């Protein structure tokens, strides 16, 4: 009954339109809006999101999904039509479980959280944030209770960001990751902070010049000036208003070149995923990444596996000399490579290098899981945080601002989100190993700033599927197997073993 499917398609397309418009308003809020617009903007976004949600959970959507069962049975499960029905039904059944009043409570609390968190962070006072965190956890328990068949409560939260992934599976992966990383990081920490001859990205780099550097670099990755934008934002993000209208943001730090360059390459990786989805899936719930973890695998791949590679540094160096001559006059490619790969245990996740980053994530996952299972009370988080940082990274947390208050996620109600960062790291290395064997001249291409074959490989093997398949199947299609930490550990040991002699031991 294609008539049934047409009506379903139209309905889902309108809902998707509402969501993208809400996203565009949020993009505007972060990049253009004068501060006094905040109050009205919150109402505008809430209205659009409510309309989209109501229209989606409506019984009529259910009726159309029911009518589409025939299409689903007739078509191959890999077809766009069957995938649309399957994914939309899963989303619908999940959304219907949550009572509207609870959904509104969750949304309202999340909207209020940011200012409470910002104030607590400014005062470095976890106690100021504590009542908010307690309220959020109570709401999350009510949310978890909407899915009584799920055994581990953390699975419910994780599923919102990494569909189908279980907390026990993450715990197993993270144990292997931790066992590999802790000794590697300890060896790095025992060496001088600066490997011999490393270039410094610290200095004086005017924003205009940094912007011109990005205008030279990003198009090599696939940024299309006719279909993309780059704006400034305090917390960089990427948002595809549509597949042909991709909004990137970055942050400029005049005294450190690495901030804008690597955050822009990271967000460009997200943008390429959004732009690379099959156009046939546009204006549908399939027009998005398979999961946040798979999305992060794409951003990390461009930021780190490309951006911090030796060949890419040799492409980058002449551009740096052109823009910032004096600062890079005496620097050679090897020094630049060493300079962009400095590693050191530190307090802040967002400033962490490749070797230490995942340990920050593992700590958050363990604390969240204990909080949700009520093995840890919110008041005890700062102490548990300090103990974890000591154990995993060997650093002492001086205050809450550099400890349990540093991330915005909990203030936005996003519990279950953190693991996706490390899952993205793990998957990025698996995908990288696979694509390197398919593209034997990749190093030469990166050194020439020629990244078209790389982008096409990712589009063909990852991007084009959008949300047709879950993260597990999307990864399996790209690399031929399940998620595995071995390639990521191999990559880090090889890289840092060479940079910090003996670190591979
Ligand atoms: Zn990201």
């Amino acid at each position: 009954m294609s008539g049934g499917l047409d009506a379903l398609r139209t309905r889902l397309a309108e809902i998707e339109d509402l969501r993208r418009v809400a996203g565009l308003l949020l993009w505007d809020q972060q990049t253009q809006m004068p501060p006094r617009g905040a109050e009205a903007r919150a109402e505008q976004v809430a209205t659009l999101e409510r309309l989209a949600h109501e229209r989606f959970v409506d019984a009529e959507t259910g009726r159309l999904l029911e009518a589409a069962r025939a299409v689903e049975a007739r078509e191959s499960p890999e077809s766009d039509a069957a995938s649309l029905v399957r994914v939309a039904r899963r989303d619908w059944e999940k959304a219907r479980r949550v009572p509207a009043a609870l959904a509104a409570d969750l949304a309202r609390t999340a909207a209020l959280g940011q200012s409470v968190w910002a104030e607590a962070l400014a005062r470095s006072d976890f106690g100021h944030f504590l009542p908010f965190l307690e309220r959020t956890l109570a709401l999350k328990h009510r949310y978890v209770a909407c899915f009584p068949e799920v055994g581990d409560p953390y699975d419910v939260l994780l599923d919102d960001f990494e569909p189908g992934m279980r907390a026990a599976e993450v715990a197993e992966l993270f144990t292997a990751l931790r066992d590999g990383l802790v000794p590697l990081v300890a060896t790095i920490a025992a060496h001088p902070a600066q490997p011999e001859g490393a270039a410094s990205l610290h200095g004086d780099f005017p924003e205009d010049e940094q912007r011109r550097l990005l205008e030279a670099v990003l198009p090599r990755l696939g940024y299309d000036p006719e279909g993309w934008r780059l704006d400034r934002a305090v917390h960089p993000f990427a948002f595809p208003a549509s597949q042909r209208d991709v909004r990137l943001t970055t942050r400029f730090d005049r005294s450190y070149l690495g901030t804008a360059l690597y955050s822009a390459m990271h967000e460009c990786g997200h943008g390429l995923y959004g732009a690379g989805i099959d156009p046939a899936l546009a204006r549908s719930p399939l027009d998005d990444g398979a999961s946040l973890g798979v999305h992060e695998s794409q951003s990390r791949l461009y930021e780190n596996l490309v951006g911090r590679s030796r060949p890419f540094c040799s492409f980058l160096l002449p551009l740096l000399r052109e823009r910032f001559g004096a600062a890079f006059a005496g620097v050679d490619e090897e020094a630049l490579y060493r300079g962009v790969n400095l590693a050191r245990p530190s307090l802040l996740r967002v400033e962490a290098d490749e070797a230490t980053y995942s340990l920050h994530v593992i700590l958050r996952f363990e604390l969240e899981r204990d909080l949700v299972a009520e093995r840890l009370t919110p008041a005890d988080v700062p102490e548990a945080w300090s103990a974890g940082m000591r154990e995993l990274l060997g650093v002492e947390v001086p205050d809450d601002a550099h400890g349990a208050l540093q991330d915005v996620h909990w203030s936005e109600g996003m519990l279950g989100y953190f693991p996706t960062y490390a899952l993205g790291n793990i998957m990025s290395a698996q995908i990288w190993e696979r694509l390197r064997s398919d593209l034997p001249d990749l190093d030469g291409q990166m050194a020439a700033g020629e990244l078209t074959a790389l982008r096409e490989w990712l589009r063909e093997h990852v991007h084009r599927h959008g949300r047709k398949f879950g993260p597990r199947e999307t990864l399996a299609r790209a690399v031929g197997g399940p998620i595995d930490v071995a390639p990521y550990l191999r990559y880090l040991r090889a890289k840092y073993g060479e940079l910090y002699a003996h670190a591979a031991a």
Side-chain angles (χ1 to χ4, degrees), residues 266-267 270 296 299:
H266 178 101
E267 299 308 335
H270 283 305
E296 198 66 7
S299 56

Side-chain angles (χ1 to χ4, degrees), residues 117-176:
W117 168 75
E119 208 179 311
L121 179 66
R123 295 195 208 163
S124 190
D125 176 9
F126 191 81
H128 187 74
F129 185 63
L130 183 59
F132 176 84
L133 183 59
E134 287 168 342
R135 196 158 60 243
T136 299
L137 270 170
L139 285 172
K140 290 289 170 185
H141 281 128
R142 282 171 57 201
Y143 180 72
V144 167
C146 300
F147 304 88
E149 75 282 9
V150 181
D152 184 332
Y154 195 83
D155 286 349
V156 175
L157 306 181
L158 184 61
D159 192 79
D160 287 345
F161 307 107
E162 201 64 21
M165 180 65 89
R166 304 255 178 268
E169 196 181 348
V170 174
E172 197 179 316
L173 287 165
F174 282 8
T175 300

